[in-house]
Amino acid sequence: MVTPVSRSRPVAEIPLATRRTTRQPAPAAAEAAVPGHFLCPISLEMMRDPVAAPTGITYDRDSVEGWLERGHATCPVSGRPLRAEDLIPNHATRRMIQEWCVANRALGVERVPTPRVPVSAADAAELLVAVSAAARRGDGPACRQLPARARALGKESDRNRRCLVAGGAARALSSAFVQLVDRRALAALTATGALEEILAALVVFFPLDEESRRHIASPASLDAVVSILSHGEITARVSAAVVLREVASSSDAQCLDAMSATGGIHDALVKLLEKPVSPQATKAALVTAYYLVQNADRAASRLIDLGMVQLLVELLVDSDKGTTEKALAVLDSLFLTEEGRGKAYAHALAVPVLVKKMQHVSDMATEFAVSALWRLCKNFPGEGPCKAEALQVGAFQKLLLLLQVGCMGVTKERASELLRLLNGSRGGVECIESVDFKGLKRPFV
């Protein structure tokens, strides 16, 4: 007999203490709706610097100038012809936008700042003519103030910079520099800061054209730049280093020959690496040294005599990616000479640091590290300690991995040849998994 199940058993209630109620999310904070006439027809964002076109349409300056720079010559809305010179500031709309921002500050709207008036082509021409005139007069204070104004305007906005570049800012400034140093009053000009200010302004208007490079590469100009690089204030030394890099990296043989013949330039570059003033200056000095070594054997010899190989090895122990790539490039170039390789053989860190930099930096660093190690091992007579040291710090294993992962061209060829060179010296050599670079003795020979 089946006992029927009672359906009258009461259902236990959930205790009030354990009941959970679903809370409704708090209403989102209200957002201010931007009035449609404050939006730029191109970007559909609120205008920060409204300008009116002759067609009666108001745009944000950055948007409409970008439209014109991309090759368009018409108003985006009306299709009628439009030039950048036709745009005029719409102060009324800008003030309305600012008032609306202030009224909606409680909703998180920030006030649009009043934009500065951009430089016009006429303004740029007038300023650069004044720079040239001051240089012809030898007016030191004016030659400091006017380039400083050009630099400030160029850094203020990309539009100003483009306008000054189009007006020939680099040529005017470099010409002013060479005119001033040719007046044989270098000490007085340095005291006023005119030359330093011109160099700082030049940096803003890179790249330099051929005429501007030739101005800086004149013997008198190079002497002045090297003097500033050696003895100037920190900011001036950085500007001088960057200007030299710009001239050297053009690969202009005439400029490079003039630089190589300039007294004190190699000493100044080495000094900048021995006592760095900024990462930018260090990298600029390395690039300049690289092109000088590539251009003339005497530059390599001079830098090696000044201890460049030892400096670079020390620098590579703990450096960032960009510095590592550039230091390896210079080191590889110096190893083209027997003297450069000899300095590396005598340095306890040279081989270990090259093996370390073959991986985990960049493809460019791998290329230069493999090439530099290949030059050392290939040109060392007999078995020699160079190959044994490379094996001890794991070069064989890293080269095998490099070829397995994949490398191309000259790097692949040199990695393969390195493996063959090292394979003959593998007997009885124990591989060290890691190297304590800080603990190694680092002699300077």
Side-chain angles (χ1 to χ4, degrees), residues 230-258:
S230 301
H231 310 294
E233 299 292 333
I234 289 178
T235 54
R237 294 178 68 192
V238 173
S239 298
V242 173
V243 168
L244 287 177
R245 179 205 66 194
E246 175 71 12
V247 175
S249 61
S250 68
S251 298
D252 186 321
Q254 180 176 331
C255 293
L256 288 169
D257 288 341

PDB file of all heavy atoms in Angstrom, residues 230-258:
ATOM      1  N   SER A 230      81.553  71.309 -26.274  1.00  0.00           N
ATOM      2  CA  SER A 230      82.547  71.002 -25.245  1.00  0.00           C
ATOM      3  C   SER A 230      82.360  71.824 -23.973  1.00  0.00           C
ATOM      4  O   SER A 230      82.566  71.311 -22.872  1.00  0.00           O
ATOM      5  CB  SER A 230      83.959  71.250 -25.790  1.00  0.00           C
ATOM      6  OG  SER A 230      84.209  70.457 -26.930  1.00  0.00           O
ATOM      7  N   HIS A 231      81.963  73.087 -24.140  1.00  0.00           N
ATOM      8  CA  HIS A 231      82.012  73.995 -22.985  1.00  0.00           C
ATOM      9  C   HIS A 231      80.690  74.688 -22.680  1.00  0.00           C
ATOM     10  O   HIS A 231      80.636  75.463 -21.711  1.00  0.00           O
ATOM     11  CB  HIS A 231      83.086  75.074 -23.220  1.00  0.00           C
ATOM     12  CG  HIS A 231      84.414  74.528 -23.633  1.00  0.00           C
ATOM     13  ND1 HIS A 231      85.185  73.743 -22.795  1.00  0.00           N
ATOM     14  CD2 HIS A 231      85.100  74.627 -24.801  1.00  0.00           C
ATOM     15  CE1 HIS A 231      86.309  73.406 -23.423  1.00  0.00           C
ATOM     16  NE2 HIS A 231      86.279  73.912 -24.646  1.00  0.00           N
ATOM     17  N   GLY A 232      79.657  74.445 -23.458  1.00  0.00           N
ATOM     18  CA  GLY A 232      78.399  75.159 -23.250  1.00  0.00           C
ATOM     19  C   GLY A 232      77.600  74.632 -22.071  1.00  0.00           C
ATOM     20  O   GLY A 232      77.975  73.649 -21.412  1.00  0.00           O
ATOM     21  N   GLU A 233      76.481  75.322 -21.798  1.00  0.00           N
ATOM     22  CA  GLU A 233      75.543  74.830 -20.800  1.00  0.00           C
ATOM     23  C   GLU A 233      74.908  73.528 -21.299  1.00  0.00           C
ATOM     24  O   GLU A 233      75.000  73.194 -22.488  1.00  0.00           O
ATOM     25  CB  GLU A 233      74.449  75.874 -20.540  1.00  0.00           C
ATOM     26  CG  GLU A 233      74.964  77.196 -19.997  1.00  0.00           C
ATOM     27  CD  GLU A 233      75.526  77.055 -18.585  1.00  0.00           C
ATOM     28  OE1 GLU A 233      75.074  76.144 -17.864  1.00  0.00           O
ATOM     29  OE2 GLU A 233      76.412  77.854 -18.226  1.00  0.00           O
ATOM     30  N   ILE A 234      74.247  72.822 -20.388  1.00  0.00           N
ATOM     31  CA  ILE A 234      73.725  71.500 -20.742  1.00  0.00           C
ATOM     32  C   ILE A 234      72.767  71.571 -21.932  1.00  0.00           C
ATOM     33  O   ILE A 234      72.881  70.797 -22.890  1.00  0.00           O
ATOM     34  CB  ILE A 234      73.032  70.858 -19.528  1.00  0.00           C
ATOM     35  CG1 ILE A 234      74.077  70.455 -18.485  1.00  0.00           C
ATOM     36  CG2 ILE A 234      72.222  69.634 -19.944  1.00  0.00           C
ATOM     37  CD1 ILE A 234      73.495  69.853 -17.226  1.00  0.00           C
ATOM     38  N   THR A 235      71.806  72.492 -21.890  1.00  0.00           N
ATOM     39  CA  THR A 235      70.838  72.586 -22.996  1.00  0.00           C
ATOM     40  C   THR A 235      71.523  72.946 -24.306  1.00  0.00           C
ATOM     41  O   THR A 235      71.144  72.439 -25.369  1.00  0.00           O
ATOM     42  CB  THR A 235      69.761  73.626 -22.666  1.00  0.00           C
ATOM     43  OG1 THR A 235      70.391  74.880 -22.337  1.00  0.00           O
ATOM     44  CG2 THR A 235      68.904  73.177 -21.493  1.00  0.00           C
ATOM     45  N   ALA A 236      72.527  73.817 -24.243  1.00  0.00           N
ATOM     46  CA  ALA A 236      73.259  74.199 -25.455  1.00  0.00           C
ATOM     47  C   ALA A 236      74.055  73.020 -25.997  1.00  0.00           C
ATOM     48  O   ALA A 236      74.139  72.822 -27.226  1.00  0.00           O
ATOM     49  CB  ALA A 236      74.182  75.373 -25.166  1.00  0.00           C
ATOM     50  N   ARG A 237      74.640  72.224 -25.113  1.00  0.00           N
ATOM     51  CA  ARG A 237      75.405  71.052 -25.558  1.00  0.00           C
ATOM     52  C   ARG A 237      74.491  70.034 -26.236  1.00  0.00           C
ATOM     53  O   ARG A 237      74.870  69.401 -27.234  1.00  0.00           O
ATOM     54  CB  ARG A 237      76.133  70.425 -24.372  1.00  0.00           C
ATOM     55  CG  ARG A 237      77.214  71.310 -23.777  1.00  0.00           C
ATOM     56  CD  ARG A 237      77.861  70.655 -22.572  1.00  0.00           C
ATOM     57  NE  ARG A 237      78.630  69.476 -22.970  1.00  0.00           N
ATOM     58  CZ  ARG A 237      79.106  68.579 -22.131  1.00  0.00           C
ATOM     59  NH1 ARG A 237      78.848  68.700 -20.822  1.00  0.00           N
ATOM     60  NH2 ARG A 237      79.816  67.550 -22.568  1.00  0.00           N
ATOM     61  N   VAL A 238      73.296  69.877 -25.696  1.00  0.00           N
ATOM     62  CA  VAL A 238      72.338  68.963 -26.330  1.00  0.00           C
ATOM     63  C   VAL A 238      71.988  69.454 -27.729  1.00  0.00           C
ATOM     64  O   VAL A 238      71.973  68.676 -28.699  1.00  0.00           O
ATOM     65  CB  VAL A 238      71.070  68.826 -25.464  1.00  0.00           C
ATOM     66  CG1 VAL A 238      70.009  68.004 -26.208  1.00  0.00           C
ATOM     67  CG2 VAL A 238      71.388  68.171 -24.130  1.00  0.00           C
ATOM     68  N   SER A 239      71.710  70.745 -27.872  1.00  0.00           N
ATOM     69  CA  SER A 239      71.384  71.303 -29.194  1.00  0.00           C
ATOM     70  C   SER A 239      72.536  71.113 -30.168  1.00  0.00           C
ATOM     71  O   SER A 239      72.339  70.742 -31.335  1.00  0.00           O
ATOM     72  CB  SER A 239      71.045  72.792 -29.061  1.00  0.00           C
ATOM     73  OG  SER A 239      69.910  72.991 -28.258  1.00  0.00           O
ATOM     74  N   ALA A 240      73.759  71.368 -29.704  1.00  0.00           N
ATOM     75  CA  ALA A 240      74.927  71.206 -30.578  1.00  0.00           C
ATOM     76  C   ALA A 240      75.081  69.763 -31.018  1.00  0.00           C
ATOM     77  O   ALA A 240      75.371  69.482 -32.194  1.00  0.00           O
ATOM     78  CB  ALA A 240      76.189  71.674 -29.852  1.00  0.00           C
ATOM     79  N   ALA A 241      74.879  68.822 -30.098  1.00  0.00           N
ATOM     80  CA  ALA A 241      75.000  67.403 -30.451  1.00  0.00           C
ATOM     81  C   ALA A 241      73.936  66.999 -31.473  1.00  0.00           C
ATOM     82  O   ALA A 241      74.227  66.260 -32.427  1.00  0.00           O
ATOM     83  CB  ALA A 241      74.862  66.539 -29.196  1.00  0.00           C
ATOM     84  N   VAL A 242      72.735  67.490 -31.308  1.00  0.00           N
ATOM     85  CA  VAL A 242      71.647  67.125 -32.225  1.00  0.00           C
ATOM     86  C   VAL A 242      71.870  67.740 -33.605  1.00  0.00           C
ATOM     87  O   VAL A 242      71.597  67.118 -34.636  1.00  0.00           O
ATOM     88  CB  VAL A 242      70.293  67.560 -31.630  1.00  0.00           C
ATOM     89  CG1 VAL A 242      69.172  67.349 -32.640  1.00  0.00           C
ATOM     90  CG2 VAL A 242      69.991  66.774 -30.355  1.00  0.00           C
ATOM     91  N   VAL A 243      72.388  68.968 -33.647  1.00  0.00           N
ATOM     92  CA  VAL A 243      72.666  69.606 -34.941  1.00  0.00           C
ATOM     93  C   VAL A 243      73.780  68.848 -35.671  1.00  0.00           C
ATOM     94  O   VAL A 243      73.696  68.611 -36.891  1.00  0.00           O
ATOM     95  CB  VAL A 243      73.040  71.089 -34.744  1.00  0.00           C
ATOM     96  CG1 VAL A 243      73.606  71.677 -36.035  1.00  0.00           C
ATOM     97  CG2 VAL A 243      71.817  71.891 -34.307  1.00  0.00           C
ATOM     98  N   LEU A 244      74.831  68.456 -34.958  1.00  0.00           N
ATOM     99  CA  LEU A 244      75.897  67.668 -35.590  1.00  0.00           C
ATOM    100  C   LEU A 244      75.354  66.337 -36.117  1.00  0.00           C
ATOM    101  O   LEU A 244      75.745  65.884 -37.199  1.00  0.00           O
ATOM    102  CB  LEU A 244      77.028  67.412 -34.587  1.00  0.00           C
ATOM    103  CG  LEU A 244      77.925  68.607 -34.250  1.00  0.00           C
ATOM    104  CD1 LEU A 244      78.942  68.213 -33.193  1.00  0.00           C
ATOM    105  CD2 LEU A 244      78.637  69.128 -35.496  1.00  0.00           C
ATOM    106  N   ARG A 245      74.482  65.716 -35.353  1.00  0.00           N
ATOM    107  CA  ARG A 245      73.873  64.461 -35.827  1.00  0.00           C
ATOM    108  C   ARG A 245      73.094  64.686 -37.110  1.00  0.00           C
ATOM    109  O   ARG A 245      73.162  63.890 -38.058  1.00  0.00           O
ATOM    110  CB  ARG A 245      72.936  63.915 -34.752  1.00  0.00           C
ATOM    111  CG  ARG A 245      72.228  62.623 -35.147  1.00  0.00           C
ATOM    112  CD  ARG A 245      70.936  62.457 -34.382  1.00  0.00           C
ATOM    113  NE  ARG A 245      69.979  63.496 -34.752  1.00  0.00           N
ATOM    114  CZ  ARG A 245      68.876  63.766 -34.067  1.00  0.00           C
ATOM    115  NH1 ARG A 245      68.608  63.107 -32.954  1.00  0.00           N
ATOM    116  NH2 ARG A 245      68.049  64.725 -34.476  1.00  0.00           N
ATOM    117  N   GLU A 246      72.340  65.770 -37.175  1.00  0.00           N
ATOM    118  CA  GLU A 246      71.550  66.062 -38.367  1.00  0.00           C
ATOM    119  C   GLU A 246      72.440  66.251 -39.589  1.00  0.00           C
ATOM    120  O   GLU A 246      72.142  65.754 -40.677  1.00  0.00           O
ATOM    121  CB  GLU A 246      70.709  67.319 -38.123  1.00  0.00           C
ATOM    122  CG  GLU A 246      69.920  67.807 -39.323  1.00  0.00           C
ATOM    123  CD  GLU A 246      68.762  66.901 -39.685  1.00  0.00           C
ATOM    124  OE1 GLU A 246      68.425  66.009 -38.888  1.00  0.00           O
ATOM    125  OE2 GLU A 246      68.200  67.076 -40.785  1.00  0.00           O
ATOM    126  N   VAL A 247      73.542  66.951 -39.418  1.00  0.00           N
ATOM    127  CA  VAL A 247      74.460  67.183 -40.543  1.00  0.00           C
ATOM    128  C   VAL A 247      75.148  65.884 -40.936  1.00  0.00           C
ATOM    129  O   VAL A 247      75.243  65.548 -42.126  1.00  0.00           O
ATOM    130  CB  VAL A 247      75.499  68.263 -40.174  1.00  0.00           C
ATOM    131  CG1 VAL A 247      76.528  68.417 -41.287  1.00  0.00           C
ATOM    132  CG2 VAL A 247      74.807  69.602 -39.900  1.00  0.00           C
ATOM    133  N   ALA A 248      75.613  65.122 -39.949  1.00  0.00           N
ATOM    134  CA  ALA A 248      76.347  63.884 -40.250  1.00  0.00           C
ATOM    135  C   ALA A 248      75.451  62.838 -40.898  1.00  0.00           C
ATOM    136  O   ALA A 248      75.870  62.142 -41.840  1.00  0.00           O
ATOM    137  CB  ALA A 248      76.962  63.328 -38.977  1.00  0.00           C
ATOM    138  N   SER A 249      74.220  62.700 -40.421  1.00  0.00           N
ATOM    139  CA  SER A 249      73.335  61.641 -40.922  1.00  0.00           C
ATOM    140  C   SER A 249      72.836  61.888 -42.328  1.00  0.00           C
ATOM    141  O   SER A 249      72.211  61.012 -42.925  1.00  0.00           O
ATOM    142  CB  SER A 249      72.143  61.463 -39.978  1.00  0.00           C
ATOM    143  OG  SER A 249      71.381  62.660 -39.898  1.00  0.00           O
ATOM    144  N   SER A 250      73.118  63.065 -42.881  1.00  0.00           N
ATOM    145  CA  SER A 250      72.761  63.310 -44.285  1.00  0.00           C
ATOM    146  C   SER A 250      73.668  62.533 -45.237  1.00  0.00           C
ATOM    147  O   SER A 250      73.368  62.421 -46.424  1.00  0.00           O
ATOM    148  CB  SER A 250      72.866  64.806 -44.591  1.00  0.00           C
ATOM    149  OG  SER A 250      74.233  65.221 -44.543  1.00  0.00           O
ATOM    150  N   SER A 251      74.786  62.000 -44.709  1.00  0.00           N
ATOM    151  CA  SER A 251      75.778  61.270 -45.513  1.00  0.00           C
ATOM    152  C   SER A 251      76.382  62.131 -46.617  1.00  0.00           C
ATOM    153  O   SER A 251      76.860  61.620 -47.634  1.00  0.00           O
ATOM    154  CB  SER A 251      75.159  59.991 -46.118  1.00  0.00           C
ATOM    155  OG  SER A 251      74.742  59.115 -45.097  1.00  0.00           O
ATOM    156  N   ASP A 252      76.352  63.436 -46.430  1.00  0.00           N
ATOM    157  CA  ASP A 252      76.964  64.367 -47.378  1.00  0.00           C
ATOM    158  C   ASP A 252      78.480  64.292 -47.186  1.00  0.00           C
ATOM    159  O   ASP A 252      79.008  64.679 -46.141  1.00  0.00           O
ATOM    160  CB  ASP A 252      76.443  65.783 -47.096  1.00  0.00           C
ATOM    161  CG  ASP A 252      76.912  66.802 -48.117  1.00  0.00           C
ATOM    162  OD1 ASP A 252      78.073  66.723 -48.555  1.00  0.00           O
ATOM    163  OD2 ASP A 252      76.112  67.689 -48.476  1.00  0.00           O
ATOM    164  N   ALA A 253      79.184  63.780 -48.194  1.00  0.00           N
ATOM    165  CA  ALA A 253      80.624  63.550 -48.074  1.00  0.00           C
ATOM    166  C   ALA A 253      81.381  64.839 -47.775  1.00  0.00           C
ATOM    167  O   ALA A 253      82.332  64.844 -46.984  1.00  0.00           O
ATOM    168  CB  ALA A 253      81.160  62.907 -49.349  1.00  0.00           C
ATOM    169  N   GLN A 254      80.962  65.936 -48.392  1.00  0.00           N
ATOM    170  CA  GLN A 254      81.649  67.209 -48.155  1.00  0.00           C
ATOM    171  C   GLN A 254      81.499  67.635 -46.697  1.00  0.00           C
ATOM    172  O   GLN A 254      82.466  68.085 -46.062  1.00  0.00           O
ATOM    173  CB  GLN A 254      81.081  68.293 -49.077  1.00  0.00           C
ATOM    174  CG  GLN A 254      81.740  69.657 -48.914  1.00  0.00           C
ATOM    175  CD  GLN A 254      81.206  70.674 -49.912  1.00  0.00           C
ATOM    176  OE1 GLN A 254      80.776  70.324 -51.009  1.00  0.00           O
ATOM    177  NE2 GLN A 254      81.221  71.943 -49.543  1.00  0.00           N
ATOM    178  N   CYS A 255      80.301  67.498 -46.165  1.00  0.00           N
ATOM    179  CA  CYS A 255      80.074  67.858 -44.758  1.00  0.00           C
ATOM    180  C   CYS A 255      80.844  66.933 -43.823  1.00  0.00           C
ATOM    181  O   CYS A 255      81.443  67.389 -42.833  1.00  0.00           O
ATOM    182  CB  CYS A 255      78.579  67.795 -44.439  1.00  0.00           C
ATOM    183  SG  CYS A 255      77.569  69.043 -45.276  1.00  0.00           S
ATOM    184  N   LEU A 256      80.846  65.647 -44.115  1.00  0.00           N
ATOM    185  CA  LEU A 256      81.547  64.690 -43.249  1.00  0.00           C
ATOM    186  C   LEU A 256      83.056  64.919 -43.281  1.00  0.00           C
ATOM    187  O   LEU A 256      83.731  64.796 -42.249  1.00  0.00           O
ATOM    188  CB  LEU A 256      81.213  63.263 -43.679  1.00  0.00           C
ATOM    189  CG  LEU A 256      79.790  62.802 -43.346  1.00  0.00           C
ATOM    190  CD1 LEU A 256      79.476  61.487 -44.042  1.00  0.00           C
ATOM    191  CD2 LEU A 256      79.613  62.663 -41.838  1.00  0.00           C
ATOM    192  N   ASP A 257      83.591  65.244 -44.443  1.00  0.00           N
ATOM    193  CA  ASP A 257      85.025  65.545 -44.523  1.00  0.00           C
ATOM    194  C   ASP A 257      85.363  66.772 -43.689  1.00  0.00           C
ATOM    195  O   ASP A 257      86.386  66.802 -42.991  1.00  0.00           O
ATOM    196  CB  ASP A 257      85.434  65.780 -45.982  1.00  0.00           C
ATOM    197  CG  ASP A 257      85.444  64.498 -46.798  1.00  0.00           C
ATOM    198  OD1 ASP A 257      85.487  63.408 -46.188  1.00  0.00           O
ATOM    199  OD2 ASP A 257      85.397  64.581 -48.042  1.00  0.00           O
ATOM    200  N   ALA A 258      84.502  67.785 -43.776  1.00  0.00           N
ATOM    201  CA  ALA A 258      84.736  69.001 -42.987  1.00  0.00           C
ATOM    202  C   ALA A 258      84.647  68.705 -41.493  1.00  0.00           C
ATOM    203  O   ALA A 258      85.440  69.220 -40.705  1.00  0.00           O
ATOM    204  CB  ALA A 258      83.725  70.078 -43.375  1.00  0.00           C
TER     205      ALA A 258
END
